[in-house]
Amino acid sequence: MLKWALIFAVIALIAGGLGFTGVAGAAAGVAKFLFFLFLVGFVIFLILGFVAGRKIAGD
């Protein structure tokens, strides 16, 4: 998911540089959405990993 966010960010930069503002805005919006979705998923799995690790270790 982070890979796709980076791809859309690059597309937005290229389209913005060439003057395609509509395409650049849409690609930037998609990149931002995918990045925040990745960030939320990362935090959720990080918390789940700490909770599961403590239960396995017996603390």
Side-chain angles (χ1 to χ4, degrees):
M1 195 175 322
L2 185 60
K3 176 182 165 184
W4 282 104
L6 291 173
I7 289 171
F8 276 106
V10 169
I11 290 172
L13 288 173
I14 293 171
L18 295 175
F20 299 111
T21 56
V23 174
V30 171
K32 190 184 301 185
F33 174 74
L34 288 175
F35 175 74
F36 285 117
L37 191 63
F38 165 79
L39 195 62
V40 168
F42 174 75
V43 170
I44 289 172
F45 281 113
L46 188 67
I47 292 170
L48 286 174
F50 280 130
V51 171
R54 286 188 180 184
K55 289 196 184 247
I56 291 172
D59 291 338

